[in-house]
Each structure stands twice: as C-alpha cells, then as structure tokens.
C-alpha cells in the first residue's frame, strides 16, 4: 500500500510540477540588429549622467530639486515599499504560524441553601499550523511576488528618469519662451519705429492713410504675439514648479540661455537596451513572475502535508498556568490530496497561463516600442540638425533683407507692404530657429530617455 502511495506521489510530481520556461531577454519576436539602423556614431558608450552632458548648472540644480521633492516620485517609492511588504506576506506561509490566546473568566455558582460562591478562571491556549512546502508551491508563489516587487522598483527608476526628462524639457521650453519673448519685444520696438516713420511720411504727404493703418495693424499683431508668448511663459513656469514639488505661484525661474547640444550621440548597442531600459526590464520581471504563478498553481494538484499543534492550560490559580505538568497538548500531522474541486484548480492554472501569455506579448511589444523610440530619436536628430542649419541661414537672409527693405522704403523704392513683410519674415525665421534649436535639445533628452540613461 505504501509503495502504491509513493508511486502516486511521484506520478503527480512528474505530471503536475512542470519546470519553469527558459526565458531570454532577447526573445522579443523580432531579430535584433547588431547596430542601430539610424546610428551614425557606433561604439560610443552611454554617459553615466546624461543631465551633466548639457553643461548647465541651473538645469542640474532643478533636476536635483525635483528628484528630492516631487510627489509623484515619492508615491512611486511608496509603491515599492508596498510591493516589498506584499512579497513578505506571500512568503509567510513557508513558516509555522503560531498563536497564543489568554483569557480570564469570573464564575459565580449558586447552591441551594448555601448561597453563592465566586472564583476566577484563567486560561492560556496556544496553537501552531504549518504547511510543509515539500513541492515548493509556496516558494514559487513568493518568488513571483519578489519578481513583481523588483518590477515595481524598476518602475520607480523609470519614473525617476521620466521626471528628470520632463524637468529638463520644461526648462528648455521655458528658456525658449523667454528668448521668444525677447525676439518679439525687439520686433515690437522695430515696428513702433516703422509706425513713426510711416506717420512722418504721411504728415508730409508722402504716404496714404492706408499705409499708416497697415503699419498700426502690424504693430498690434506683434503686441498680441508678445502677450501670447508671456502667457506661455507663465504656463510653463507653473508646470515646472509642480514637477519641483512647489506651489505653482508662477515665480520667475532663471532660464535665459539654451545650452549647446552635446556633440556625440551615445546610442550604444541595441541588445544593451533590453537590460538597461526600465520598462523593458520591468516587463520581463513580470513575465517571469507570471511563470512562477503558473507553476505554483499547477502544484495545487499535489498533496499538502500539514502539521498542527494545540495545547493550553486552565486553572483558577495564576501560578498553575506556568506549571508544565498542567499543560495539555496535541500534535497532528495530516495529508490532503485534492480529488475534485469543481474545476477551481484547473481554472486557476488556465488563468495564470493566460496571464503569462499576456505578459509575454506585453514584454515583446514593450521591447519593440523601445527600439522604435530609439530609432525615431536618432533619425529625428539628423533631420532636426539639417532643419536648424537651414533656418539659421534663413535668419541671416531675412535680417539682411530687413535692413535693405528699410533703406529701400526710405528711398521710395518699395511700398509699405514689402517693408512690413520683411519684418514678419525676420520674426518668423528667428522664432522658428529658436523652436528647432530647443527641439534638438528635447529630442536628445528623448534619446537619453529611450536608451534608459542614468541621471
């Protein structure tokens, strides 16, 4: 009979306790190239601190402040603590569970003809239950929770990187907005001079009233654009203050100069991305956690071996409670083999298998999106560089044409519309050049973020 029982146990172990799938981070459903398609600077390592590559002390200080005071980051840290605590809870079943109960009861007994008597009764009871994790079911369940806690910790790191990137990008947007305001302010001053010039010519009978109206309209449009730019400054400032964990009071932040774009493009190798980027690492950890939960659920079909102990003492005298001779106790060992559960165990297995399949596909999709973001940022940098060079030439040409337009207008060689158009072209070119210069910096941040670079 014992041999038959042992054979049944071995059969259940071999059929119900499958090994974990052998997962590899490179299994992303697509072939990973040896180098980035858009990378023009191969073999360069990722910088250890990408914020410092911009060489802007003000930016570094703002990022440090955000990492210390941002409430979203603090919430992410709390989620890590909760996940670690959950892993401890899920692993607690591997250890004996001990319980102690102490009670006091006052008893009154009435006897006919003898009155009543009162006395105290003290009781101390203890219990112990322990499931022997012979097949490692609880251990697998705990390991799943540990991997999920690791994924949550990696998520925290990802929130940290995202926060630093948002602070840097908001800072660059604020610098650009301040520079845009200066450009528009200068344009307003220039157009005020034009209005004075046209009015003077009108008073001398050299211009029509329509020309004065056109100049005034152009000036009003420039003033409206200046108000719009200043409104953008206050909106960016308040958004940046929230990231810094401050009250959004719109207080002025010193942001007046865009830094130079770091020369090198430190993309590294595509395969390194899978082990460095937080969202990819977290997705792989959750995939492995789902595998452990699947294996743990399969082991529910195996017999459970439990130890149970109970004991205690009851006395009307406190001193007798500590007398070992007065303690009564019992120990039980039990074995429970599930035979029919109405499909509950099989349903648990199917559910965990489906979640593991979901986690696998989510990991593959996350990895492919990570590759896309890197390739996209690398390609965008090249196009933005070319766009910036073209706009820089456009600024030079429009500034020269503006000077020529003023000279020609004073000498009656061109009309007011051509003069005003030269000023609008100069303003548009200067504004577009500032915008693209800032986009280059923001795109470099996107590249660092896509690569999972440290701050």
């Amino acid at each position: 009979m014992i041999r038959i029982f042992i054979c049944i146990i071995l059969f259940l172990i071999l059929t119900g306790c499958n090994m974990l799938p052998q997962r590899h981070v490179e299994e992303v459903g697509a072939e990973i190239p040896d180098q980035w398609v858009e990378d023009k600077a191969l073999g360069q390592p990722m910088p250890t601190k990408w914020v410092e590559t911009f060489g802007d002390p003000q930016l570094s200080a703002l990022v440090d402040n955000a990492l210390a005071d941002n409430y979203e980051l603090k919430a992410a840290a709390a989620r890590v603590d909760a996940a670690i605590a959950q892993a401890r809870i899920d692993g607690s079943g591997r250890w004996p569970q001990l319980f102690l109960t102490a009670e006091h009861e006052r008893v009154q007994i009435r006897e006919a003809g003898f009155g009543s008597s009162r006395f105290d009764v003290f009781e101390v009871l203890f219990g112990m239950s322990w499931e022997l994790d012979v097949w490692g079911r609880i251990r697998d369940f705990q390991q799943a929770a540990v991997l999920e806690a690791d994924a949550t910790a990696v998520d925290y790191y990802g929130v940290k990187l995202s926060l630093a990137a948002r602070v840097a990008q908001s800072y660059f947007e604020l610098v650009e907005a301040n520079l845009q305001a200066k450009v528009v302010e200068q344009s307003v001053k220039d157009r005020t001079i034009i209005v004075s010039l046209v009015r003077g010519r009108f008073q001398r009978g050299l211009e029509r009233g329509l020309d004065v109206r056109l100049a005034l309209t152009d000036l009003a449009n420039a003033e409206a654009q200046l108000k719009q730019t200043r409104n953008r400054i206050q909106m960016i400032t308040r958004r940046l203050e929230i990231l810094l964990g401050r009250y959004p009071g719109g207080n002025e932040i010193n942001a007046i100069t865009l830094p130079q774009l770091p020369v090198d493009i430190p993309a590294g190798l595509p395969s390194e991305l899978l082990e460095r980027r937080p969202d990819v690492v977290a997705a792989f950890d959750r995939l492995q956690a789902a595998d452990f939960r699947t294996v743990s659920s399969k082991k529910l079909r195996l017999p459970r071996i439990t130890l149970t102990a109970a004991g205690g003492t009851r006395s009307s005298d406190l001193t007798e409670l500590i007398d070992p001779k007065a303690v009564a106790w019992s120990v039980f060992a039990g074995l429970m083999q599930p035979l029919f559960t109405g499909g509950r165990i099989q349903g648990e297995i199917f559910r965990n298998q489906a979640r593991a399949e979901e986690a696998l596909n989510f990991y593959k999709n996350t990895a492919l999106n990570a590759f896309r973001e890197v390739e996209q940022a690398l390609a965008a940098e090249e196009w933005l560089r070319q766009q910036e060079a073209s706009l820089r030439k456009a600024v030079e040409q429009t500034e020269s044409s503006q000077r020529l337009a003023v000279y020609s207008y004073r000498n009656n060689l061109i009309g007011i519309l051509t003069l005003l158009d030269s000023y609008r072209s100069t303003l548009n070119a200067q504004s577009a050049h500032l915008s693209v210069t800032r986009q280059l910096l923001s795109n470099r941040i996107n590249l660092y973020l896509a690569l999972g670079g440290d701050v």
Side-chain angles (χ1 to χ4, degrees):
M1 187 67 182
I2 295 177
R3 291 181 179 178
I4 295 175
F5 179 75
I6 293 175
C7 290
I8 292 174
I9 296 297
L10 291 174
F11 172 78
L12 290 171
I13 293 175
L14 294 174
T15 58
C17 184
N18 296 338
M19 296 295 292
L20 282 169
Q22 297 298 316
R23 304 290 190 186
H24 302 284
V25 294
E26 293 81 6
E27 298 174 4
V28 297
E31 184 179 355
I32 303 175
D34 295 331
Q35 64 187 46
W36 299 103
V37 175
E38 298 292 341
D39 193 6
K40 305 299 187 297
L42 304 178
Q44 298 177 17
M46 271 289 294
T48 55
K49 303 288 185 180
W50 62 260
V51 175
E52 297 177 357
T53 63
F54 293 100
D56 190 329
Q58 174 76 359
L59 171 62
S60 299
L62 289 174
V63 170
D64 290 341
N65 290 342
L67 296 180
D69 300 328
N70 180 266
Y71 293 108
E72 183 181 352
L73 188 61
K74 292 180 180 180
R79 288 194 292 271
V80 175
D81 293 338
I84 293 174
Q86 185 62 51
R88 292 175 180 172
I89 294 172
D90 291 344
S92 62
R94 298 180 63 187
W95 307 99
Q97 308 295 304
L98 304 175
F99 306 94
L100 177 67
T101 303
E103 296 181 352
H104 167 257
E105 181 181 6
R106 174 160 290 186
V107 181
Q108 179 175 333
I109 300 177
R110 294 181 180 274
E111 298 182 10
F114 295 97
S116 62
S117 60
R118 297 179 180 178
F119 58 91
D120 295 322
V121 177
F122 301 94
E123 186 177 54
V124 176
L125 302 175
F126 67 87
M128 186 273 290
S129 63
W130 187 15
E131 178 182 342
L132 301 181
D133 194 24
V134 178
W135 324 120
R137 179 184 63 83
I138 302 175
R139 183 188 65 240
D140 291 339
F141 191 72
Q142 180 190 25
Q143 185 60 32
V146 169
L147 284 167
E148 288 172 350
D150 290 342
T152 306
V154 177
D155 287 340
Y156 167 79
Y157 181 68
V159 173
K160 180 180 177 182
L161 294 181
S162 176
L163 173 61
R166 283 182 290 160
V167 169
Q169 289 177 334
S170 296
Y171 172 74
F172 291 151
E173 287 181 27
L174 182 58
V175 174
E176 182 210 340
N178 285 327
L179 294 176
Q180 294 278 14
K182 290 184 178 180
V183 168
V184 180
E185 286 173 359
Q186 183 60 47
S187 181
V188 169
K189 292 178 182 178
D190 292 341
R191 295 181 191 198
T192 302
I193 295 174
I194 292 299
V195 168
S196 300
L197 175 62
V198 175
R199 276 178 174 168
R201 291 172 63 85
F202 172 73
Q203 292 171 356
R204 295 194 301 271
L206 300 176
E207 294 290 354
R208 299 167 300 171
L210 176 60
D211 293 344
V212 177
R213 297 296 181 185
L214 290 174
L216 288 172
T217 301
D218 200 58
L219 173 61
N221 286 332
E223 291 173 340
Q225 187 174 351
L226 178 59
K227 300 297 188 297
Q228 181 182 11
T229 304
R230 287 175 176 168
N231 182 49
R232 181 167 175 251
I233 290 174
Q234 68 87 17
M235 292 175 64
I236 298 172
T237 300
R238 295 179 199 277
R239 186 178 72 209
L240 184 55
E241 286 176 319
I242 291 294
L243 294 176
L244 298 175
R246 303 174 185 173
Y247 182 83
N251 298 314
E252 183 179 353
I253 297 176
N254 183 30
I256 57 175
T257 305
L258 286 173
Q260 293 293 323
L261 183 72
V263 177
D264 297 327
I265 305 175
L269 300 176
S271 59
E272 297 173 352
L273 186 71
L274 300 176
E275 299 177 355
R276 183 177 60 228
R277 181 159 155 151
D279 57 343
V280 178
V281 174
F284 189 74
D285 284 343
R286 290 189 170 95
L287 170 59
Q288 290 185 305
D291 288 337
F292 272 103
R293 291 196 184 279
T294 300
V295 172
S296 178
S297 63
K298 289 180 179 180
K299 293 178 181 178
L300 289 171
R301 297 182 296 196
L302 301 176
R304 300 186 188 182
I305 301 175
T306 59
L307 295 178
T308 304
T313 181
R314 181 183 178 91
S315 174
S316 59
D317 190 347
L318 278 172
T319 58
E320 294 183 6
L321 292 177
I322 60 176
D323 186 359
K325 298 179 180 180
V327 177
W329 56 274
S330 60
V331 178
F332 303 93
L335 184 146
M336 183 184 71
Q337 170 61 53
L339 297 178
F340 179 75
T341 60
R344 180 182 62 82
I345 293 178
Q346 193 62 39
E348 183 78 11
I349 294 172
F350 286 161
R351 182 181 66 175
N352 286 320
Q353 286 176 334
R355 287 180 174 174
E357 183 67 18
E358 177 189 9
L360 174 60
N361 287 287
F362 180 79
Y363 167 71
K364 291 180 178 181
N365 189 66
T366 301
L368 291 178
N369 269 317
F371 290 130
R372 175 190 61 80
E373 290 177 4
V374 175
E375 293 283 9
Q376 186 172 288
L378 288 170
E381 175 141 345
E382 182 64 24
W383 292 113
L384 286 170
R385 283 179 182 273
Q386 295 179 16
Q387 187 178 1
E388 187 276 334
S390 298
L391 286 172
R392 187 170 62 251
K393 294 179 182 178
V395 169
E396 295 172 357
Q397 294 299 325
T398 55
E399 289 176 348
S400 297
S401 66
Q402 178 181 307
R403 291 190 294 268
L404 289 174
V406 173
Y407 172 81
S408 299
Y409 180 74
R410 290 179 182 273
N411 290 277
N412 297 320
L413 299 176
I414 61 173
I416 185 64
L417 292 177
T418 304
L419 176 63
L420 296 178
D421 186 63
S422 69
Y423 275 86
R424 283 193 294 269
S425 297
T426 301
L427 176 60
N428 292 337
Q430 291 173 337
S431 178
H433 181 256
L434 282 174
S435 179
V436 169
T437 302
R438 192 268 308 163
Q439 289 178 44
L440 264 171
L441 295 169
S442 295
N443 185 74
R444 177 58 65 87
I445 294 173
N446 289 335
L447 176 59
Y448 287 137
L449 188 63
L451 292 168
D454 195 4
V455 296

